[in-house]
Amino acid sequence: MMIRNKIDRILSRLLMGIMSLMVLNVLWQVFSRYILGAPSSFTDELSRYLMIWLGILGAAYVSGQNAHVAIDFLPKKLNTKKQRKLRRLVTVIVMSFAFFALVIGGFRLVYLTFILEQYSPALKLPLALVYLVMPLSGMLIMYYKISDILTK
């Protein structure tokens, strides 16, 4: 549990930092556009990439907190034993998605954009860095779900 708490703390601080940077970035965009009359060229792209990281890493964090929005109509109709089975099935489905779509698919996307040397137009960032959040988030989701299974 100590490792999970550390990961939670690091991830929550990273998410707060990304959100803070996003707010400052958008404020600078508004200021430079309306006050200075010369809109900044990089802020739109940076806010888009920060939003991607915030959304995907945020999903991993929320998954670890078991705080995702859920429809609990079916589980409430089942007895305790069947609820556990349903929870296990949902966990297996989430882990499968995280592994195949986020980890495998994400690493393929990162590799492809790295090999093709794709860069963002304004910031000149390697797009592989932008897409790196997918496999990272997938591994975090898998870690959280495995941790949930082992502690219950």
Side-chain angles (χ1 to χ4, degrees), residues 15-35:
L15 289 168
M16 285 187 280
I18 291 171
M19 185 67 183
S20 300
L21 188 58
M22 214 165 96
V23 168
L24 291 174
N25 181 53
V26 171
L27 286 173
W28 174 250
Q29 170 64 10
V30 171
F31 178 78
S32 66
R33 177 174 297 208
Y34 294 109
I35 306 298

Side-chain angles (χ1 to χ4, degrees), residues 25 29 31 52 62 94 100 108 112 125 127 131 138 149-150:
N25 181 53
Q29 170 64 10
F31 178 78
I52 291 168
V62 169
V94 168
F100 290 110
R108 290 184 72 200
L112 187 62
L125 275 174
L127 287 179
Y131 298 139
I149 289 170
L150 295 176

